[in-house]
């Protein structure tokens, strides 16, 4: 006998003899267990996918929330002085009205010079905060920058051009604090 034949015989002797009918029954009995395991695995995979999706949505919501809070904080910092400036604008208007009076004696001229220096200081302080006056007269009417309170027909101006300014408007950086009150040509 050859070596291979001896090895085959030894292997056959070592393996227990199993009836073919029992093997088929065992195979059929194992199939439902495998299907059940596959179903459980599929169910667990679905739960895992759902949990991952929920996690990703929560993370995206948190990132959006953080960005929104950062943007709000930046806007707060950028426009922190808006309330104070809004309160100062009527005083600034009164200064400008007072500066437009005619001085008839030296005492009044001296008083006007002092008021003009205070007015300039106030304007410079507002400029440092980012406040600037809105140009109106001769400009195209812009409803975001101007508030039309009157209309006129003047051939010297083009259509929809600001002819006269009744009250100055102001911007803080890129935000309009108060629009200019103007008369617009038709």
């Amino acid at each position: 006998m050859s070596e291979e034949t001896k090895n085959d015989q030894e292997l056959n002797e070592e393996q227990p003899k199993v009836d073919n009918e029992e093997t088929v029954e065992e195979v059929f009995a194992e199939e439902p267990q495998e299907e059940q395991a596959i179903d459980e695995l599929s169910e667990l995979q679905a739960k895992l996918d759902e949990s991952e999706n929920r996690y990703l949505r929560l993370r995206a919501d948190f990132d959006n929330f953080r960005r929104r809070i950062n943007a709000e904080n930046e806007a707060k910092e950028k426009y922190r002085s808006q309330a104070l400036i809004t309160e100062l604008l009527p005083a600034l208007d009164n200064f400008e009205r007072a500066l437009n009076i005619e001085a008839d004696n030296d005492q009044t001229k001296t008083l006007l010079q002092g008021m003009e220096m205070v007015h300039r200081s106030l304007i410079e302080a507002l400029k440092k905060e980012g406040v600037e006056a809105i140009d109106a007269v001769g400009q195209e009417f812009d409803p975001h920058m101007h508030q039309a309170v009157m209309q006129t027909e003047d051939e010297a101006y083009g259509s929809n051009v600001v002819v006269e300014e009744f009250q100055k408007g102001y911007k803080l950086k890129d935000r309009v604090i108060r629009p200019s009150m103007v008369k617009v040509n038709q």
Side-chain angles (χ1 to χ4, degrees):
M1 266 191 177
S2 72
E3 286 263 341
E4 288 179 29
T5 316
K6 284 183 184 178
N7 286 340
D8 287 340
Q9 283 179 351
E10 289 175 5
L11 284 175
N12 287 336
E13 289 175 6
E14 289 176 7
Q15 292 180 353
K17 296 203 176 188
V18 179
D19 189 16
N20 282 344
E21 290 178 18
E22 289 179 7
T23 306
V24 171
E25 288 174 2
E26 288 175 4
V27 169
F28 284 121
E30 289 177 6
E31 281 185 13
Q33 289 176 353
E34 287 178 11
E35 288 178 12
Q36 185 179 11
I38 290 172
D39 289 345
E40 287 177 10
L41 183 62
S42 299
E43 186 178 315
L44 290 174
Q45 185 65 39
K47 285 182 181 180
L48 177 64
D49 291 343
E50 181 183 332
S51 295
E52 284 179 2
N53 286 337
R54 193 172 341 136
Y55 167 74
L56 291 174
R57 282 193 305 271
L58 284 173
R59 184 172 178 188
D61 286 344
F62 180 72
D63 288 343
N64 290 338
F65 172 75
R66 186 179 45 204
R67 270 188 241 119
R68 188 172 53 246
I69 293 298
N70 286 341
E72 287 174 5
N73 287 339
E74 287 174 8
K76 260 188 213 176
E77 181 62 29
K78 187 175 183 181
Y79 302 112
R80 73 186 185 290
S81 59
Q82 181 174 349
L84 176 64
I85 292 167
T86 303
E87 296 294 322
L88 287 176
L89 289 181
L92 189 62
D93 292 338
N94 289 334
F95 259 113
E96 289 173 358
R97 283 187 208 104
L99 291 173
N100 287 333
I101 64 168
E102 292 287 328
D104 55 353
N105 61 33
D106 288 339
Q107 191 176 14
T108 309
K109 286 181 185 177
T110 306
L111 180 65
L112 283 176
Q113 286 176 347
M115 286 179 60
E116 191 174 310
M117 289 189 317
V118 172
H119 180 259
R120 263 185 295 194
S121 298
L122 187 58
I123 294 292
E124 287 302 315
L126 291 174
K127 280 184 182 177
K128 286 180 184 175
E129 278 298 312
V131 176
E132 58 186 71
I134 297 172
D135 292 331
V137 177
Q139 301 292 320
E140 180 84 17
F141 176 75
D142 181 0
H144 301 298
M145 306 283 233
H146 307 121
Q147 179 182 357
V149 292
M150 290 180 69
Q151 285 187 336
T152 187
E153 288 190 31
D154 190 347
E155 292 181 11
Y157 293 95
S159 178
N160 206 28
V161 173
V162 175
V163 176
E164 187 178 346
E165 181 179 53
F166 298 117
Q167 184 181 42
K168 270 190 178 176
Y170 293 93
K171 293 190 309 184
L172 174 61
K173 297 181 172 68
D174 58 349
R175 183 183 285 179
V176 175
I177 296 176
R178 181 177 79 184
S180 300
M181 277 197 227
V182 296
K183 182 193 293 187
V184 180
N185 195 29
Q186 283 186 325

